[in-house]
Amino acid sequence: MALPLVAIIGRPNVGKSSLLNSLAGQMISIVDPTAGVTRDRVSTIINYDDSYFELVDTGGYGIVDSDALESHVENQIQQAISSADLVLFMVDIREGVVTLDEKIAAMLRKLPLKVILVANKADSPKQLALAGEFVKLGFGEPVCISAQNFVNRADLMERIMEGIAHLPKEKPAAAVMKLAIVGKRNTGKSTFINAVVGHERVIASEIPGTTRDAVDVRFEKDGKQYLIIDTAGVRKIGKMKQDIEYYGYTRATRSIRRADVVLFMMDATDPISQVDKKLIHLIRGEYKACVIIVNKWDLAKDRASTDDYAEYLDKVVTGLRHAPIAFTTATDAKNVQSVLDLCTELYKQATAKIATAKLNKAIETIAEEKVTGSRGRGGIPKIYYGTQVASNPISILLFVNNPGLFDETYQRFLLNRLGELLGLEEVPIRLLFRRRSGEKPTE
């Protein structure tokens, strides 16, 4: 059952993103003085007194976009309006009614929609007297608020709940898996997401840096709910020209932490860059299950085979050697569904519960293999037994004679063999070491 959808509509810089963040109680949309920061539909689910609805932030209506994406932004706004059960028409109380406000009002009056007029930036009682001017827009007295300072937030929320009172507002089904798609700029992340959901949910353009926010996109597959997070393309921090790019970068890194499985997207026509290696380091550091997506394969397949490219990746992407590789052409939706199937398999591995007996059988097998570990004054590393302490990531606590004897080389060997023996070869495993009780420390 679809949730009630409440869309925030208004001209640029009236505070739409601030309102979404205020009602959500957290920073979701990027807020910046630069007009036109929001381009895509940024949405979140609001829980108010155990009633739920989806709140959608949109780009500024009538924006002159710096990258000439006005038509794309307007298309996203129109999609939000066409799906909405209630519109929050937002204006700036300090600037009064302007031509763009009148244009938006004329458009909304033609539609069979419930509209709440919201006058933002009412930071002082003196400004409330200015609200009367907005009545001529045709939606009655506005609700005067300050999204930034939480003025009249509760009053607006009550009006929203009244406006959707006739609609079911049950708790939505939880997503069975959260996916985050990350990569440097212009690799095709947004095009991939549109191919997954089957329509233009996010703006896809050849212009680098089109996506700015991290955009949550919910979709259904085989009767189950999924969440995929589109993120801003990352570039070298030293080349970030404005705060907006840095905000996008921090949201991309946060999306990696939120995800159950990360889709690391690369452009098949570009060599591995320092930005790619930085993202690999982030994914590896969070122990995230990951699919490496080599996109735009249609442009590179005549120059190399998939085996050649996989061999190249094995040499340069050392931190994600366990990750499966998928070759896609997102513009044609080629191999997109197979990527989702891969994600399902990885999630199954990453959330596996390993029987203690099976784990310790694997440890015994490894112990019987004559592999030279660290040698020194402490002797040879020994594992007595182990137990799984967490999933996603798979975390294994090993009780040993001396944790200091398990150097990086030996740990890599352990990880590889445990992955093979436990059927977890494609997901990261986190090893934790503890000296067995009663074992004497080595000087």
Side-chain angles (χ1 to χ4, degrees), residues 202-249:
V202 287
I203 296 173
S205 167
E206 293 298 321
I207 298 168
T210 297
T211 303
R212 289 168 168 172
D213 279 289
V215 182
D216 286 9
V217 178
R218 291 171 178 80
F219 67 98
E220 185 176 303
K221 183 177 185 288
D222 299 329
K224 296 177 180 178
Q225 293 292 320
Y226 292 81
L227 175 70
I228 187 166
I229 310 164
D230 191 15
T231 63
V234 176
R235 66 193 307 196
K236 284 185 179 180
I237 292 178
K239 290 186 177 181
M240 293 182 186
K241 298 178 180 179
Q242 49 191 335
D243 288 344
I244 297 167
E245 289 187 342
Y246 182 72
Y247 296 152
Y249 168 75

Side-chain angles (χ1 to χ4, degrees), residues 27 72 156 180 197 200 237 244 260 346 349 351 366 391 409 423:
M27 291 293 292
H72 293 279
L156 177 57
V197 300
E200 189 181 316
I237 292 178
I244 297 167
D260 297 310
L346 292 186
Q349 291 184 38
T351 56
I366 294 169
S391 295
T409 300

Side-chain angles (χ1 to χ4, degrees), residues 177-183 189 192-193 214-217 219 226-232 251-265 279 283 288-293 339-340 343:
M177 183 168 53
K178 295 189 290 294
L179 310 172
I181 183 164
V182 300
K189 298 182 294 299
F192 182 91
I193 286 182
V215 182
D216 286 9
V217 178
F219 67 98
Y226 292 81
L227 175 70
I228 187 166
I229 310 164
D230 191 15
T231 63
R251 279 163 166 73
T253 58
R254 188 171 67 187
S255 297
I256 291 173
R257 299 186 186 101
R258 288 178 60 201
D260 297 310
V261 179
V262 175
L263 307 179
F264 171 48
M265 181 167 279
L279 286 169
I283 296 165
K288 292 295 181 179
C290 176
V291 177
I292 298 173
I293 301 179
V339 170
L340 297 180
C343 291

Side-chain angles (χ1 to χ4, degrees), residues 24-41:
Q26 57 180 309
M27 291 293 292
I28 295 173
S29 278
I30 293 175
V31 176
D32 190 87
T34 306
V37 171
T38 302
R39 288 168 167 171
D40 291 295
R41 284 172 285 155

Side-chain angles (χ1 to χ4, degrees), residues 78-141:
Q78 293 297 341
Q79 287 193 48
I81 292 172
S82 66
S83 304
D85 298 293
L86 175 67
V87 165
L88 304 182
F89 174 21
M90 204 162 186
V91 294
D92 186 333
I93 197 169
R94 298 179 306 185
E95 295 186 6
V97 176
V98 301
T99 303
L100 263 180
D101 294 330
E102 293 174 335
K103 186 175 180 181
I104 296 168
M107 175 187 68
L108 292 176
R109 284 197 302 267
K110 295 176 183 177
L111 301 172
L113 272 173
K114 289 188 177 181
V115 177
I116 297 175
L117 184 61
V118 181
N120 190 33
K121 305 183 184 180
D123 299 300
S124 71
K126 293 180 181 178
Q127 290 166 329
L128 298 179
L130 304 174
E133 179 187 358
F134 293 95
V135 173
K136 67 181 183 181
L137 293 175
F139 302 103
E141 290 280 346

Side-chain angles (χ1 to χ4, degrees), residues 328-339:
T328 66
T329 302
T331 51
D332 298 329
K334 189 173 182 180
N335 289 342
V336 168
Q337 290 304 315
S338 63
V339 170

Side-chain angles (χ1 to χ4, degrees), residues 7-48:
I8 307 172
I9 306 297
R11 62 185 173 83
N13 245 15
V14 292
K16 297 182 297 298
S17 297
S18 293
L19 179 58
L20 180 132
N21 293 340
S22 174
L23 294 178
Q26 57 180 309
M27 291 293 292
I28 295 173
S29 278
I30 293 175
V31 176
D32 190 87
T34 306
V37 171
T38 302
R39 288 168 167 171
D40 291 295
R41 284 172 285 155
V42 179
S43 69
T44 188
I45 293 175
I46 304 290
N47 175 7
Y48 184 73

Side-chain angles (χ1 to χ4, degrees), residues 265-327:
M265 181 167 279
M266 301 163 46
D267 185 329
T269 64
D270 288 342
I272 300 294
S273 67
Q274 288 302 314
V275 171
D276 291 320
K277 292 178 180 178
K278 173 70 173 175
L279 286 169
I280 290 165
H281 179 74
L282 287 169
I283 296 165
R284 186 70 187 90
E286 295 293 331
Y287 292 89
K288 292 295 181 179
C290 176
V291 177
I292 298 173
I293 301 179
V294 182
N295 194 34
K296 305 183 184 180
W297 186 242
D298 58 317
L299 303 178
K301 63 183 180 181
D302 294 333
R303 287 183 269 169
S305 68
T306 54
D307 288 342
D308 292 335
Y309 201 92
E311 185 178 341
Y312 162 66
L313 288 181
D314 189 56
K315 292 177 181 177
V316 295
V317 187
T318 55
L320 292 177
R321 281 179 173 159
H322 58 274
I325 304 168
F327 295 86

